[in-house]
Amino acid sequence: MAVGKNKRISKGRKGSKKKAVDPFTKKQWYDIKAPLIFSQRNIGKTLVSRTQGTKIASEGLKHRVFEVSLADLNNDEDQAYRKIRLRAEDVQGMNVLTNFWGMDFTTDKLRSLVRKWQSLIEAHVDVKTTDNYMLRMFCIGFTKRRPNQVKRTCYAQASQIRQIRRKMVEIMVNQAASCDLKELVQKFIPEVIGKEIEKSTAGIFPLQNVYVRKVKILKAPKFDLGKLMEVHGDYKEDVGMKVDRPADGDEVIPGAEEAAAAE
């Protein structure tokens, strides 16, 4: 090949450079709505690509999982150590309706509970609620020194730990199997189950800091819109306020009504 000939080989195809398009121009914001059991219903916004051809925006939003601090959901900073997981179940207008999808503790809270000179007791159990949700619940508790105790440590014997663990499992099963998911979440927030375990195991060994530290949803029933609307209460889409409009041909003069009222 002669030198200097066929210069276009190295340059590539003519006009192949595409104009860069900002991907956010194709996106849409949706509001995330929490269930009625939480005092703060508006918990944030989420992005999704606009409906294009067969790709529907609402389908891309369904089953997204959002992790929110309980302090934000209930406007109470004392509950900041709990993280609540909410799953998007349905899209209505520009609102994403969510339902409870699990719970966890923050790492710093969990680390602050673990100390020397005491026994840590953990138990977990799989349980089915009355509305057919399959949950796995994890419980944690620590032994406590008796009043007026001189001894520095408060370790429980292996047999006592087994008894306490059995009691933990029994109480968790009784509490969860007798109610639906909505009622169970209302038990988790004030730590009803932890207090009951503490009370019933006092005869075996006194416990402190007993919590249901984690909840996972293993299996959910088939989606039911009626049940979801029950969880969200009297949910209504925000369509704005009604404003009176003047009849055609009537000209509105600013301040005319106030002047008429003054006369």
Side-chain angles (χ1 to χ4, degrees):
M1 188 189 285
V3 178
K5 299 280 181 191
N6 219 351
K7 288 176 185 171
R8 290 222 54 84
I9 289 172
S10 60
K11 288 188 178 176
R13 197 176 290 166
K14 201 172 186 181
S16 65
K17 208 171 186 185
K18 259 191 175 179
K19 201 176 179 185
V21 180
D22 182 19
F24 277 83
T25 56
K26 294 176 183 174
K27 306 277 180 192
Q28 222 169 359
W29 290 98
Y30 281 79
D31 292 316
I32 307 162
K33 300 279 181 189
L36 193 66
I37 46 174
F38 304 109
S39 56
Q40 191 65 34
R41 302 293 304 281
N42 257 347
I43 55 169
K45 289 179 178 285
T46 187
L47 264 179
V48 71
S49 297
R50 282 196 175 91
T51 302
Q52 201 172 18
T54 55
K55 243 186 162 185
I56 301 162
S58 60
E59 292 304 314
L61 282 169
K62 279 176 191 173
H63 302 161
R64 277 190 189 183
V65 178
F66 309 101
E67 195 169 74
V68 194
S69 169
L70 189 58
D72 296 333
L73 285 169
N74 280 345
N75 291 326
D76 181 8
E77 279 307 312
D78 296 337
Q79 297 175 333
Y81 59 87
R82 277 190 197 279
K83 294 182 291 183
I84 302 289
R85 286 159 68 81
L86 299 169
R87 186 168 86 145
E89 297 287 353
D90 194 31
V91 180
Q92 298 202 346
M94 295 304 285
N95 295 318
V96 180
L97 305 187
T98 62
N99 203 358
F100 179 80
W101 195 249
M103 184 185 76
D104 205 354
F105 261 31
T106 56
T107 313
D108 62 312
K109 173 69 175 177
L110 214 50
R111 301 286 182 273
S112 71
L113 296 173
V114 181
R115 297 196 190 104
K116 290 200 289 184
W117 322 123
Q118 61 181 14
S119 297
L120 183 153
I121 303 159
E122 280 191 297
H124 67 271
V125 66
D126 292 358
V127 65
K128 204 174 200 176
T129 60
T130 53
D131 51 356
N132 292 325
Y133 276 91
M134 194 72 181
L135 307 174
R136 182 169 290 156
M137 293 161 66
F138 297 81
C139 182
I140 194 168
F142 302 88
T143 54
K144 185 171 75 174
R145 287 173 69 180
R146 287 186 171 86
N148 309 320
Q149 185 179 319
V150 179
K151 193 180 172 187
R152 193 180 180 186
T153 61
C154 54
Y155 298 125
Q157 292 173 356
S159 60
Q160 289 173 321
I161 290 172
R162 276 198 299 274
Q163 276 178 282
I164 290 168
R165 197 175 284 126
R166 209 174 295 130
K167 206 83 176 155
M168 280 178 170
V169 168
E170 188 188 307
I171 290 166
M172 284 194 288
V173 168
N174 290 345
Q175 289 282 357
S178 60
C179 62
D180 63 11
L181 187 70
K182 187 182 171 185
E183 287 166 18
L184 190 58
V185 175
Q186 286 170 318
K187 287 179 184 180
F188 291 146
I189 296 165
E191 205 48 71
V192 171
I193 299 169
K195 282 169 189 165
E196 196 178 323
I197 291 168
E198 223 169 288
K199 210 191 300 177
S200 62
T201 55
I204 305 164
F205 204 104
L207 295 184
Q208 64 180 347
N209 298 328
V210 182
Y211 296 102
V212 173
R213 67 168 181 85
K214 190 176 184 179
V215 178
K216 280 183 184 177
I217 292 188
L218 305 177
K219 220 175 189 181
K222 215 173 175 184
F223 174 68
D224 181 0
L225 185 61
K227 282 263 171 74
L228 184 68
M229 297 321 283
E230 237 174 77
V231 168
H232 280 266
D234 54 345
Y235 165 76
K236 288 182 183 70
E237 199 179 326
D238 187 11
V239 289
M241 268 172 61
K242 192 178 179 184
V243 178
D244 292 328
R245 287 182 64 184
D248 291 343
D250 292 355
E251 194 181 336
V252 178
I253 303 160
E257 283 178 27
E258 287 87 338
E263 285 168 11

PDB file of all heavy atoms in Angstrom, residues 178-202:
ATOM      1  N   SER A 178     -50.793 -15.827  66.673  1.00  0.00           N
ATOM      2  CA  SER A 178     -52.162 -15.478  67.071  1.00  0.00           C
ATOM      3  C   SER A 178     -52.644 -14.155  66.478  1.00  0.00           C
ATOM      4  O   SER A 178     -53.708 -13.677  66.817  1.00  0.00           O
ATOM      5  CB  SER A 178     -52.236 -15.393  68.599  1.00  0.00           C
ATOM      6  OG  SER A 178     -51.344 -14.394  69.063  1.00  0.00           O
ATOM      7  N   CYS A 179     -51.835 -13.524  65.614  1.00  0.00           N
ATOM      8  CA  CYS A 179     -52.258 -12.229  65.047  1.00  0.00           C
ATOM      9  C   CYS A 179     -51.764 -12.081  63.612  1.00  0.00           C
ATOM     10  O   CYS A 179     -50.964 -12.885  63.135  1.00  0.00           O
ATOM     11  CB  CYS A 179     -51.728 -11.079  65.906  1.00  0.00           C
ATOM     12  SG  CYS A 179     -49.940 -11.009  65.966  1.00  0.00           S
ATOM     13  N   ASP A 180     -52.246 -11.044  62.930  1.00  0.00           N
ATOM     14  CA  ASP A 180     -51.783 -10.804  61.559  1.00  0.00           C
ATOM     15  C   ASP A 180     -50.540  -9.909  61.577  1.00  0.00           C
ATOM     16  O   ASP A 180     -50.099  -9.456  62.626  1.00  0.00           O
ATOM     17  CB  ASP A 180     -52.905 -10.225  60.685  1.00  0.00           C
ATOM     18  CG  ASP A 180     -53.402  -8.869  61.164  1.00  0.00           C
ATOM     19  OD1 ASP A 180     -52.752  -8.280  62.033  1.00  0.00           O
ATOM     20  OD2 ASP A 180     -54.450  -8.410  60.673  1.00  0.00           O
ATOM     21  N   LEU A 181     -49.993  -9.642  60.388  1.00  0.00           N
ATOM     22  CA  LEU A 181     -48.721  -8.911  60.277  1.00  0.00           C
ATOM     23  C   LEU A 181     -48.817  -7.500  60.852  1.00  0.00           C
ATOM     24  O   LEU A 181     -47.925  -7.050  61.561  1.00  0.00           O
ATOM     25  CB  LEU A 181     -48.278  -8.850  58.807  1.00  0.00           C
ATOM     26  CG  LEU A 181     -46.895  -8.259  58.553  1.00  0.00           C
ATOM     27  CD1 LEU A 181     -45.800  -9.187  59.053  1.00  0.00           C
ATOM     28  CD2 LEU A 181     -46.679  -7.963  57.088  1.00  0.00           C
ATOM     29  N   LYS A 182     -49.942  -6.824  60.591  1.00  0.00           N
ATOM     30  CA  LYS A 182     -50.133  -5.444  61.063  1.00  0.00           C
ATOM     31  C   LYS A 182     -50.076  -5.376  62.596  1.00  0.00           C
ATOM     32  O   LYS A 182     -49.400  -4.515  63.170  1.00  0.00           O
ATOM     33  CB  LYS A 182     -51.473  -4.921  60.541  1.00  0.00           C
ATOM     34  CG  LYS A 182     -51.728  -3.451  60.810  1.00  0.00           C
ATOM     35  CD  LYS A 182     -53.095  -3.058  60.287  1.00  0.00           C
ATOM     36  CE  LYS A 182     -53.484  -1.671  60.730  1.00  0.00           C
ATOM     37  NZ  LYS A 182     -54.861  -1.345  60.322  1.00  0.00           N
ATOM     38  N   GLU A 183     -50.784  -6.307  63.254  1.00  0.00           N
ATOM     39  CA  GLU A 183     -50.799  -6.345  64.725  1.00  0.00           C
ATOM     40  C   GLU A 183     -49.431  -6.728  65.285  1.00  0.00           C
ATOM     41  O   GLU A 183     -49.014  -6.223  66.328  1.00  0.00           O
ATOM     42  CB  GLU A 183     -51.845  -7.361  65.211  1.00  0.00           C
ATOM     43  CG  GLU A 183     -53.276  -6.886  65.019  1.00  0.00           C
ATOM     44  CD  GLU A 183     -54.286  -8.010  65.179  1.00  0.00           C
ATOM     45  OE1 GLU A 183     -53.941  -9.059  65.754  1.00  0.00           O
ATOM     46  OE2 GLU A 183     -55.431  -7.838  64.701  1.00  0.00           O
ATOM     47  N   LEU A 184     -48.727  -7.611  64.558  1.00  0.00           N
ATOM     48  CA  LEU A 184     -47.409  -8.061  65.014  1.00  0.00           C
ATOM     49  C   LEU A 184     -46.391  -6.921  64.986  1.00  0.00           C
ATOM     50  O   LEU A 184     -45.591  -6.766  65.905  1.00  0.00           O
ATOM     51  CB  LEU A 184     -46.933  -9.230  64.150  1.00  0.00           C
ATOM     52  CG  LEU A 184     -45.687  -9.975  64.624  1.00  0.00           C
ATOM     53  CD1 LEU A 184     -45.868 -10.554  66.021  1.00  0.00           C
ATOM     54  CD2 LEU A 184     -45.315 -11.083  63.649  1.00  0.00           C
ATOM     55  N   VAL A 185     -46.459  -6.082  63.953  1.00  0.00           N
ATOM     56  CA  VAL A 185     -45.561  -4.926  63.852  1.00  0.00           C
ATOM     57  C   VAL A 185     -45.815  -3.968  65.016  1.00  0.00           C
ATOM     58  O   VAL A 185     -44.885  -3.388  65.581  1.00  0.00           O
ATOM     59  CB  VAL A 185     -45.721  -4.205  62.491  1.00  0.00           C
ATOM     60  CG1 VAL A 185     -44.872  -2.938  62.427  1.00  0.00           C
ATOM     61  CG2 VAL A 185     -45.332  -5.126  61.348  1.00  0.00           C
ATOM     62  N   GLN A 186     -47.094  -3.836  65.403  1.00  0.00           N
ATOM     63  CA  GLN A 186     -47.436  -2.978  66.540  1.00  0.00           C
ATOM     64  C   GLN A 186     -46.911  -3.545  67.865  1.00  0.00           C
ATOM     65  O   GLN A 186     -46.757  -2.813  68.827  1.00  0.00           O
ATOM     66  CB  GLN A 186     -48.948  -2.774  66.598  1.00  0.00           C
ATOM     67  CG  GLN A 186     -49.423  -1.819  65.510  1.00  0.00           C
ATOM     68  CD  GLN A 186     -50.931  -1.774  65.368  1.00  0.00           C
ATOM     69  OE1 GLN A 186     -51.590  -2.808  65.414  1.00  0.00           O
ATOM     70  NE2 GLN A 186     -51.485  -0.591  65.187  1.00  0.00           N
ATOM     71  N   LYS A 187     -46.634  -4.855  67.891  1.00  0.00           N
ATOM     72  CA  LYS A 187     -46.020  -5.470  69.078  1.00  0.00           C
ATOM     73  C   LYS A 187     -44.502  -5.252  69.088  1.00  0.00           C
ATOM     74  O   LYS A 187     -43.892  -5.147  70.144  1.00  0.00           O
ATOM     75  CB  LYS A 187     -46.309  -6.976  69.108  1.00  0.00           C
ATOM     76  CG  LYS A 187     -47.741  -7.324  69.473  1.00  0.00           C
ATOM     77  CD  LYS A 187     -47.934  -8.830  69.463  1.00  0.00           C
ATOM     78  CE  LYS A 187     -49.380  -9.202  69.730  1.00  0.00           C
ATOM     79  NZ  LYS A 187     -49.585 -10.659  69.713  1.00  0.00           N
ATOM     80  N   PHE A 188     -43.905  -5.216  67.891  1.00  0.00           N
ATOM     81  CA  PHE A 188     -42.444  -5.045  67.801  1.00  0.00           C
ATOM     82  C   PHE A 188     -42.007  -3.668  68.302  1.00  0.00           C
ATOM     83  O   PHE A 188     -40.997  -3.547  68.991  1.00  0.00           O
ATOM     84  CB  PHE A 188     -41.954  -5.193  66.354  1.00  0.00           C
ATOM     85  CG  PHE A 188     -42.058  -6.579  65.782  1.00  0.00           C
ATOM     86  CD1 PHE A 188     -42.337  -6.779  64.427  1.00  0.00           C
ATOM     87  CD2 PHE A 188     -41.865  -7.693  66.588  1.00  0.00           C
ATOM     88  CE1 PHE A 188     -42.431  -8.050  63.900  1.00  0.00           C
ATOM     89  CE2 PHE A 188     -41.958  -8.972  66.063  1.00  0.00           C
ATOM     90  CZ  PHE A 188     -42.245  -9.150  64.717  1.00  0.00           C
ATOM     91  N   ILE A 189     -42.758  -2.625  67.940  1.00  0.00           N
ATOM     92  CA  ILE A 189     -42.316  -1.246  68.210  1.00  0.00           C
ATOM     93  C   ILE A 189     -42.204  -0.954  69.709  1.00  0.00           C
ATOM     94  O   ILE A 189     -41.161  -0.492  70.159  1.00  0.00           O
ATOM     95  CB  ILE A 189     -43.200  -0.226  67.447  1.00  0.00           C
ATOM     96  CG1 ILE A 189     -43.017  -0.433  65.932  1.00  0.00           C
ATOM     97  CG2 ILE A 189     -42.848   1.205  67.834  1.00  0.00           C
ATOM     98  CD1 ILE A 189     -44.048   0.216  65.067  1.00  0.00           C
ATOM     99  N   PRO A 190     -43.217  -1.262  70.545  1.00  0.00           N
ATOM    100  CA  PRO A 190     -43.035  -1.010  71.992  1.00  0.00           C
ATOM    101  C   PRO A 190     -42.308  -2.148  72.717  1.00  0.00           C
ATOM    102  O   PRO A 190     -42.194  -2.127  73.930  1.00  0.00           O
ATOM    103  CB  PRO A 190     -44.459  -0.857  72.497  1.00  0.00           C
ATOM    104  CG  PRO A 190     -45.305  -1.582  71.532  1.00  0.00           C
ATOM    105  CD  PRO A 190     -44.572  -1.716  70.252  1.00  0.00           C
ATOM    106  N   GLU A 191     -41.808  -3.151  71.978  1.00  0.00           N
ATOM    107  CA  GLU A 191     -41.069  -4.302  72.538  1.00  0.00           C
ATOM    108  C   GLU A 191     -41.903  -5.091  73.544  1.00  0.00           C
ATOM    109  O   GLU A 191     -41.456  -5.396  74.654  1.00  0.00           O
ATOM    110  CB  GLU A 191     -39.744  -3.822  73.150  1.00  0.00           C
ATOM    111  CG  GLU A 191     -38.666  -4.889  73.219  1.00  0.00           C
ATOM    112  CD  GLU A 191     -38.487  -5.653  71.912  1.00  0.00           C
ATOM    113  OE1 GLU A 191     -37.983  -5.079  70.937  1.00  0.00           O
ATOM    114  OE2 GLU A 191     -38.865  -6.822  71.885  1.00  0.00           O
ATOM    115  N   VAL A 192     -43.118  -5.432  73.147  1.00  0.00           N
ATOM    116  CA  VAL A 192     -44.031  -6.209  73.993  1.00  0.00           C
ATOM    117  C   VAL A 192     -43.475  -7.616  74.218  1.00  0.00           C
ATOM    118  O   VAL A 192     -43.486  -8.136  75.340  1.00  0.00           O
ATOM    119  CB  VAL A 192     -45.437  -6.297  73.326  1.00  0.00           C
ATOM    120  CG1 VAL A 192     -46.345  -7.270  74.047  1.00  0.00           C
ATOM    121  CG2 VAL A 192     -46.068  -4.914  73.271  1.00  0.00           C
ATOM    122  N   ILE A 193     -42.954  -8.237  73.143  1.00  0.00           N
ATOM    123  CA  ILE A 193     -42.470  -9.622  73.215  1.00  0.00           C
ATOM    124  C   ILE A 193     -41.250  -9.706  74.141  1.00  0.00           C
ATOM    125  O   ILE A 193     -41.157 -10.600  74.983  1.00  0.00           O
ATOM    126  CB  ILE A 193     -42.154 -10.171  71.799  1.00  0.00           C
ATOM    127  CG1 ILE A 193     -43.432 -10.174  70.948  1.00  0.00           C
ATOM    128  CG2 ILE A 193     -41.540 -11.561  71.862  1.00  0.00           C
ATOM    129  CD1 ILE A 193     -43.242 -10.440  69.480  1.00  0.00           C
ATOM    130  N   GLY A 194     -40.327  -8.755  74.033  1.00  0.00           N
ATOM    131  CA  GLY A 194     -39.116  -8.730  74.870  1.00  0.00           C
ATOM    132  C   GLY A 194     -39.450  -8.628  76.352  1.00  0.00           C
ATOM    133  O   GLY A 194     -38.861  -9.328  77.191  1.00  0.00           O
ATOM    134  N   LYS A 195     -40.438  -7.779  76.671  1.00  0.00           N
ATOM    135  CA  LYS A 195     -40.833  -7.590  78.076  1.00  0.00           C
ATOM    136  C   LYS A 195     -41.483  -8.858  78.639  1.00  0.00           C
ATOM    137  O   LYS A 195     -41.273  -9.212  79.804  1.00  0.00           O
ATOM    138  CB  LYS A 195     -41.805  -6.405  78.194  1.00  0.00           C
ATOM    139  CG  LYS A 195     -41.094  -5.053  78.131  1.00  0.00           C
ATOM    140  CD  LYS A 195     -42.057  -3.914  77.983  1.00  0.00           C
ATOM    141  CE  LYS A 195     -41.315  -2.606  77.705  1.00  0.00           C
ATOM    142  NZ  LYS A 195     -42.231  -1.578  77.209  1.00  0.00           N
ATOM    143  N   GLU A 196     -42.252  -9.534  77.791  1.00  0.00           N
ATOM    144  CA  GLU A 196     -42.913 -10.768  78.247  1.00  0.00           C
ATOM    145  C   GLU A 196     -41.878 -11.866  78.511  1.00  0.00           C
ATOM    146  O   GLU A 196     -41.990 -12.619  79.484  1.00  0.00           O
ATOM    147  CB  GLU A 196     -43.935 -11.234  77.201  1.00  0.00           C
ATOM    148  CG  GLU A 196     -44.884 -12.258  77.795  1.00  0.00           C
ATOM    149  CD  GLU A 196     -45.952 -12.735  76.811  1.00  0.00           C
ATOM    150  OE1 GLU A 196     -46.440 -11.917  76.018  1.00  0.00           O
ATOM    151  OE2 GLU A 196     -46.270 -13.940  76.869  1.00  0.00           O
ATOM    152  N   ILE A 197     -40.873 -11.948  77.636  1.00  0.00           N
ATOM    153  CA  ILE A 197     -39.803 -12.946  77.817  1.00  0.00           C
ATOM    154  C   ILE A 197     -39.058 -12.666  79.128  1.00  0.00           C
ATOM    155  O   ILE A 197     -38.781 -13.571  79.907  1.00  0.00           O
ATOM    156  CB  ILE A 197     -38.837 -12.947  76.607  1.00  0.00           C
ATOM    157  CG1 ILE A 197     -39.526 -13.486  75.353  1.00  0.00           C
ATOM    158  CG2 ILE A 197     -37.563 -13.744  76.904  1.00  0.00           C
ATOM    159  CD1 ILE A 197     -38.782 -13.278  74.052  1.00  0.00           C
ATOM    160  N   GLU A 198     -38.762 -11.382  79.358  1.00  0.00           N
ATOM    161  CA  GLU A 198     -38.056 -10.964  80.574  1.00  0.00           C
ATOM    162  C   GLU A 198     -38.829 -11.399  81.828  1.00  0.00           C
ATOM    163  O   GLU A 198     -38.260 -11.901  82.799  1.00  0.00           O
ATOM    164  CB  GLU A 198     -37.914  -9.433  80.563  1.00  0.00           C
ATOM    165  CG  GLU A 198     -36.548  -8.947  81.002  1.00  0.00           C
ATOM    166  CD  GLU A 198     -36.377  -7.459  80.708  1.00  0.00           C
ATOM    167  OE1 GLU A 198     -36.233  -7.076  79.533  1.00  0.00           O
ATOM    168  OE2 GLU A 198     -36.389  -6.680  81.677  1.00  0.00           O
ATOM    169  N   LYS A 199     -40.142 -11.198  81.767  1.00  0.00           N
ATOM    170  CA  LYS A 199     -41.001 -11.499  82.922  1.00  0.00           C
ATOM    171  C   LYS A 199     -41.080 -13.012  83.179  1.00  0.00           C
ATOM    172  O   LYS A 199     -40.976 -13.472  84.306  1.00  0.00           O
ATOM    173  CB  LYS A 199     -42.413 -10.955  82.648  1.00  0.00           C
ATOM    174  CG  LYS A 199     -43.148 -10.540  83.951  1.00  0.00           C
ATOM    175  CD  LYS A 199     -44.616 -10.253  83.722  1.00  0.00           C
ATOM    176  CE  LYS A 199     -44.906  -9.140  82.758  1.00  0.00           C
ATOM    177  NZ  LYS A 199     -46.362  -8.966  82.530  1.00  0.00           N
ATOM    178  N   SER A 200     -41.259 -13.774  82.081  1.00  0.00           N
ATOM    179  CA  SER A 200     -41.474 -15.216  82.248  1.00  0.00           C
ATOM    180  C   SER A 200     -40.188 -15.994  82.553  1.00  0.00           C
ATOM    181  O   SER A 200     -40.251 -17.108  83.053  1.00  0.00           O
ATOM    182  CB  SER A 200     -42.149 -15.801  81.013  1.00  0.00           C
ATOM    183  OG  SER A 200     -41.310 -15.628  79.908  1.00  0.00           O
ATOM    184  N   THR A 201     -39.007 -15.422  82.233  1.00  0.00           N
ATOM    185  CA  THR A 201     -37.755 -16.136  82.500  1.00  0.00           C
ATOM    186  C   THR A 201     -37.111 -15.709  83.821  1.00  0.00           C
ATOM    187  O   THR A 201     -36.046 -16.215  84.171  1.00  0.00           O
ATOM    188  CB  THR A 201     -36.735 -15.918  81.360  1.00  0.00           C
ATOM    189  OG1 THR A 201     -36.553 -14.516  81.185  1.00  0.00           O
ATOM    190  CG2 THR A 201     -37.191 -16.554  80.065  1.00  0.00           C
ATOM    191  N   ALA A 202     -37.751 -14.798  84.539  1.00  0.00           N
ATOM    192  CA  ALA A 202     -37.178 -14.305  85.802  1.00  0.00           C
ATOM    193  C   ALA A 202     -36.950 -15.436  86.801  1.00  0.00           C
ATOM    194  O   ALA A 202     -36.006 -15.398  87.600  1.00  0.00           O
ATOM    195  CB  ALA A 202     -38.083 -13.238  86.405  1.00  0.00           C
TER     196      ALA A 202
END
